[in-house]
Amino acid sequence: MFFEGSEKKIEIIVTQDTPSLRSLGRPFWQSMVSKANAEILSSVSNEYCDAYLLSESSLFVWDDHFLMLTCGTTTLVHAATLFIDTLGVEAIAFASYQRKNEYLAHLQASSFEDDLKLLREKISGKAYRFGHLDSHHHYIFYSDRPYAAEQGDITNELLMYHIGGETAQYLTSSRQTIDGVRQRLQLNQLLGDFAIDDFLFEPFGYSVNGIRGKDYFTIHVTPQEDTSYVSFETNLDLTKQNVDIFATLLHALAPGAWDVIGFNAAPMTQDYPAHVRLGQCSLTMEQGYALHFSHYQRCEHQYLQPTEL
Amino acid sequence: MFFEGSEKKIEIIVTQDTPSLRSLGRPFWQSMVSKANAEILSSVSNEYCDAYLLSESSLFVWDDHFLMLTCGTTTLVHAATLFIDTLGVEAIAFASYQRKNEYLAHLQASSFEDDLKLLREKISGKAYRFGHLDSHHHYIFYSDRPYAAEQGDITNELLMYHIGGETAQYLTSSRQTIDGVRQRLQLNQLLGDFAIDDFLFEPFGYSVNGIRGKDYFTIHVTPQEDTSYVSFETNLDLTKQNVDIFATLLHALAPGAWDVIGFNAAPMTQDYPAHVRLGQCSLTMEQGYALHFSHYQRCEHQYLQPTEL
């Protein structure tokens, strides 16, 4: 039972004179989510943000920008083109579209190159691959219209593959509870003052969105043995937290390999589990985003067993 | 201009009372090669073996077994099923089918799982994956009929990704010659007493088959930047050579990553370039083959550049 946990992601910032994206209302966002072949499960809101938990990941909508992540075999690029068609390209200040490293790219509905063709019919931009094709690699497209990133516009992404240890076992067990998962992910210690909205899937899998003012975080757990994947993403400045959030999650989930992607955020590796860095790559985007990608592998990686097919 | 250098491979040993496979004649082997969507370019023969150089890799035919390797988007599994259909499953003493780690699996005509379905319609057997899906991984199917491997039935495979240095530059240059390639691969020093048959492709790419008695070696060079791949395979016992062939090739071609697969042959890593072993996996096959797989990465791997798309 293979499920592709790794996500595709769009983030679009609209121009100042565009009406609030939140005022587009739930039916519009529902149609965006359907276009990607996902569904809204629940939501949480505050003064600044509506956060939707999806059957396959998350959607965050602020007044002037939105962020949508979908996993599995969803077709997120169609949501991106729907958005541009609906608001018009002149309303787009900045758009980016990412695809994370996939376990089984050949099972996806499209390749990044296919997605790129559709995007470039709507908006011009640049596209890059980070990392070698025979190792972890990520794709990004971003619009090339003039735009200047706001001060403090940070994104931190931690993508964990092959989780291990007691937590990994718990996350695939039939005795897990939503409280048990929250505890093992240490949500209370790490991000206790966020309003959260979470969901425990059957027979396993867990998603959580959290918001606090304009800040957000999201975690998605695909614990299936052999192709397990857990992602964490936030716009928090990780250098200013009381706890090293990435390091804590890495120790809790004990992944065999992990990728760190930062926009205007450098990796802080000192408290990571013992590791080797297998690859790293950086890009300075004209709009004021310094993009950094690093791929790590745990040092004491297990001796692999052949997988019978 | 992407070309998938990594190979699929079949090796079939026939029962003792089967007529010599060499007596099936060139038209039969030509039809086997066409079935895989490849062509015979040239051949070299000795008392024991007919070695065919193909448009996409190699075919070696001995009296009681054959070995066929094809790269690109060839459909080698169809050659395997043609062979079994032609000779009948009772003539098969042992069959194995491998797929090496691919750069772009989604561009292949079939997945290993697809190939497995076709094979299992013809002959029963076991199948395994070696290595995690998000890192280098290899597939093998092998028949489960009773068979005992002959003493000294050894295979050594070295699969090099992202070659570097002066040799890599030479192999994509327009000034390369067939003699120049032979010299850079040190064929004369490493394997000087083999009869060789080689081909330099336009605008680049090189293949060589070599035979000496029942021994063979083959090298295939796909030097395209960003997806370069060089494979070496032989049935020589590498522990009994004057030179460490793998280590010599690794120093000459300076790959960023490489895989070693051995059947009844353990890796000898002491003279490899400085490296980390990213994964290893072993399997004992009932017929008397100890299969070993290791994935290595060079320590001083380059800082990667984003690839513009």
Side-chain angles (χ1 to χ4, degrees):
Chain A
M1 202 193 72
F2 173 72
F3 185 83
E4 185 71 65
S6 83
E7 292 101 351
K8 303 161 194 72
K9 172 182 168 184
I10 36 177
E11 186 155 10
I12 294 185
I13 304 172
V14 291
T15 53
Q16 282 184 336
D17 46 358
T18 304
S20 165
L21 296 180
R22 300 175 78 194
S23 71
L24 291 168
R26 187 153 166 156
F28 172 75
W29 293 107
Q30 202 127 31
S31 71
M32 283 283 286
V33 170
S34 317
K35 206 72 183 174
N37 269 329
E39 275 176 72
I40 294 176
L41 298 177
S42 56
S43 63
V44 60
S45 290
N46 68 14
E47 193 187 341
Y48 302 100
C49 180
D50 299 322
Y52 299 91
L53 205 65
L54 308 185
S55 54
E56 276 145 320
S57 306
S58 295
L59 166 67
F60 294 88
V61 185
W62 294 265
D63 288 322
D64 66 345
H65 69 294
F66 79 95
L67 159 67
M68 189 169 167
L69 284 164
T70 62
C71 60
T73 53
T74 49
T75 53
L76 184 63
V77 69
H78 295 307
T81 58
L82 172 65
F83 186 86
I84 300 172
D85 284 342
T86 306
L87 275 83
V89 71
E90 291 310 315
I92 311 298
F94 182 73
S96 72
Y97 177 78
Q98 280 175 265
R99 277 176 76 152
K100 312 299 172 71
N101 186 63
E102 288 153 2
Y103 277 112
L104 288 175
H106 71 277
L107 298 182
Q108 288 294 306
S110 65
S111 67
F112 180 78
E113 285 75 9
D114 299 330
D115 296 351
L116 198 52
K117 252 181 238 164
L118 295 180
L119 289 167
R120 284 183 161 156
E121 285 170 13
K122 304 294 175 190
I123 189 165
S124 73
K126 296 189 173 176
Y128 292 92
R129 190 186 75 232
F130 288 70
H132 282 315
L133 287 169
D134 64 321
S135 188
H136 283 204
H137 58 280
H138 293 257
Y139 294 100
I140 187 166
F141 163 85
Y142 64 94
S143 60
D144 56 8
R145 309 163 70 82
Y147 174 75
E150 277 182 23
Q151 185 84 24
D153 185 351
I154 283 174
T155 308
N156 283 290
E157 305 175 2
L158 172 62
L159 316 168
M160 293 170 272
Y161 296 77
H162 309 295
I163 58 170
E166 191 274 327
T167 302
Q169 278 176 29
Y170 181 80
L171 292 168
T172 50
S173 76
S174 54
R175 63 187 165 82
Q176 68 183 308
T177 62
I178 202 157
D179 267 333
V181 176
R182 288 177 196 154
Q183 272 169 37
R184 278 167 178 83
L185 296 176
Q186 304 178 51
L187 293 190
N188 205 35
Q189 296 92 303
L190 296 177
L191 300 148
D193 50 354
F194 279 70
I196 70 165
D197 179 22
D198 59 356
F199 194 89
L200 189 60
F201 294 86
E202 282 288 341
F204 35 63
Y206 171 81
S207 287
V208 57
N209 286 340
I211 52 177
R212 184 192 62 189
K214 294 184 177 179
D215 299 332
Y216 76 95
F217 81 88
T218 184
I219 301 179
H220 297 280
V221 176
T222 304
Q224 279 84 326
E225 203 191 344
D226 200 31
T227 52
S228 64
Y229 174 84
V230 178
S231 66
F232 172 81
E233 174 168 334
T234 186
N235 60 351
L236 287 176
D237 184 341
L238 297 180
T239 62
K240 294 182 177 158
Q241 309 305 309
N242 295 327
V243 195
D244 185 332
I245 298 178
F246 277 15
T248 307
L249 290 171
L250 287 167
H251 285 283
L253 291 159
W258 62 94
D259 297 339
V260 171
I261 300 179
F263 293 78
N264 296 334
M268 303 188 296
T269 62
Q270 63 276 12
D271 292 323
Y272 287 3
H275 61 269
V276 282
R277 174 148 62 181
L278 301 183
Q280 59 176 317
C281 203
S282 296
L283 176 73
T284 301
M285 292 156 65
E286 302 74 358
Q287 292 89 349
Y289 296 104
L291 174 46
H292 178 88
F293 159 72
S294 283
H295 169 203
Y296 302 92
Q297 179 170 310
R298 190 151 45 106
C299 279
E300 72 289 12
H301 204 56
Q302 80 271 26
Y303 190 93
L304 303 171
Q305 293 302 313
T307 304
E308 191 158 6
L309 300 173
Chain B
M1 201 192 74
F2 174 71
F3 185 82
E4 184 72 67
S6 84
E7 292 100 353
K8 304 160 192 76
K9 171 181 168 184
I10 36 175
E11 184 153 12
I12 294 186
I13 305 172
V14 292
T15 54
Q16 282 185 338
D17 47 357
T18 304
S20 165
L21 295 180
R22 302 176 77 194
S23 72
L24 291 169
R26 186 153 169 157
F28 172 75
W29 291 107
Q30 201 127 32
S31 70
M32 284 282 287
V33 170
S34 315
K35 205 73 183 173
N37 269 330
E39 275 177 71
I40 295 177
L41 298 178
S42 56
S43 64
V44 59
S45 291
N46 68 13
E47 194 186 342
Y48 301 100
C49 181
D50 299 321
Y52 299 92
L53 204 66
L54 308 184
S55 54
E56 276 143 323
S57 306
S58 295
L59 166 65
F60 294 88
V61 185
W62 294 267
D63 288 323
D64 67 344
H65 70 290
F66 79 94
L67 159 67
M68 189 167 165
L69 285 164
T70 62
C71 61
T73 54
T74 50
T75 54
L76 185 63
V77 69
H78 295 307
T81 58
L82 172 65
F83 186 86
I84 301 172
D85 284 343
T86 306
L87 275 82
V89 72
E90 291 310 314
I92 312 297
F94 182 74
S96 73
Y97 176 78
Q98 282 172 263
R99 276 176 75 153
K100 311 301 172 67
N101 185 66
E102 287 153 0
Y103 277 110
L104 287 175
H106 71 277
L107 298 183
Q108 288 293 307
S110 65
S111 68
F112 181 77
E113 287 73 12
D114 298 331
D115 295 351
L116 199 52
K117 254 182 237 164
L118 294 180
L119 289 167
R120 282 183 164 155
E121 285 171 12
K122 304 294 176 187
I123 190 165
S124 72
K126 296 188 172 175
Y128 292 91
R129 189 187 73 232
F130 289 70
H132 282 313
L133 286 170
D134 64 319
S135 185
H136 283 203
H137 58 280
H138 293 257
Y139 294 100
I140 187 166
F141 163 86
Y142 64 95
S143 60
D144 56 7
R145 312 162 69 84
Y147 175 74
E150 278 181 25
Q151 186 82 29
D153 185 350
I154 282 173
T155 308
N156 283 289
E157 303 174 6
L158 173 62
L159 315 168
M160 293 169 272
Y161 296 77
H162 307 295
I163 58 171
E166 190 274 327
T167 302
Q169 279 177 26
Y170 181 79
L171 291 169
T172 49
S173 75
S174 55
R175 62 187 165 83
Q176 67 182 309
T177 62
I178 202 157
D179 267 332
V181 176
R182 287 177 196 155
Q183 272 170 36
R184 278 168 178 81
L185 296 175
Q186 304 179 52
L187 293 190
N188 205 37
Q189 296 89 307
L190 296 177
L191 301 146
D193 50 354
F194 279 69
I196 70 165
D197 178 23
D198 57 357
F199 195 89
L200 189 60
F201 294 86
E202 282 289 339
F204 36 62
Y206 171 80
S207 287
V208 57
N209 285 340
I211 52 175
R212 183 191 63 190
K214 295 183 175 177
D215 299 332
Y216 75 94
F217 82 88
T218 185
I219 300 177
H220 297 281
V221 176
T222 303
Q224 279 86 326
E225 203 191 344
D226 201 32
T227 52
S228 65
Y229 174 85
V230 179
S231 67
F232 173 81
E233 172 169 335
T234 186
N235 61 350
L236 287 177
D237 183 343
L238 297 181
T239 63
K240 294 182 179 158
Q241 309 305 308
N242 296 328
V243 194
D244 186 332
I245 297 178
F246 276 16
T248 305
L249 289 171
L250 287 167
H251 286 283
L253 290 160
W258 62 95
D259 298 338
V260 172
I261 299 179
F263 293 78
N264 296 333
M268 304 189 296
T269 62
Q270 63 275 9
D271 292 324
Y272 286 5
H275 61 269
V276 281
R277 175 148 63 181
L278 301 183
Q280 59 176 317
C281 203
S282 295
L283 177 73
T284 303
M285 294 157 64
E286 304 75 358
Q287 294 89 348
Y289 296 102
L291 174 48
H292 178 88
F293 159 72
S294 285
H295 170 203
Y296 302 91
Q297 180 171 309
R298 193 152 42 107
C299 280
E300 71 289 8
H301 204 55
Q302 81 272 25
Y303 190 91
L304 302 172
Q305 291 304 311
T307 303
E308 190 157 8
L309 300 173

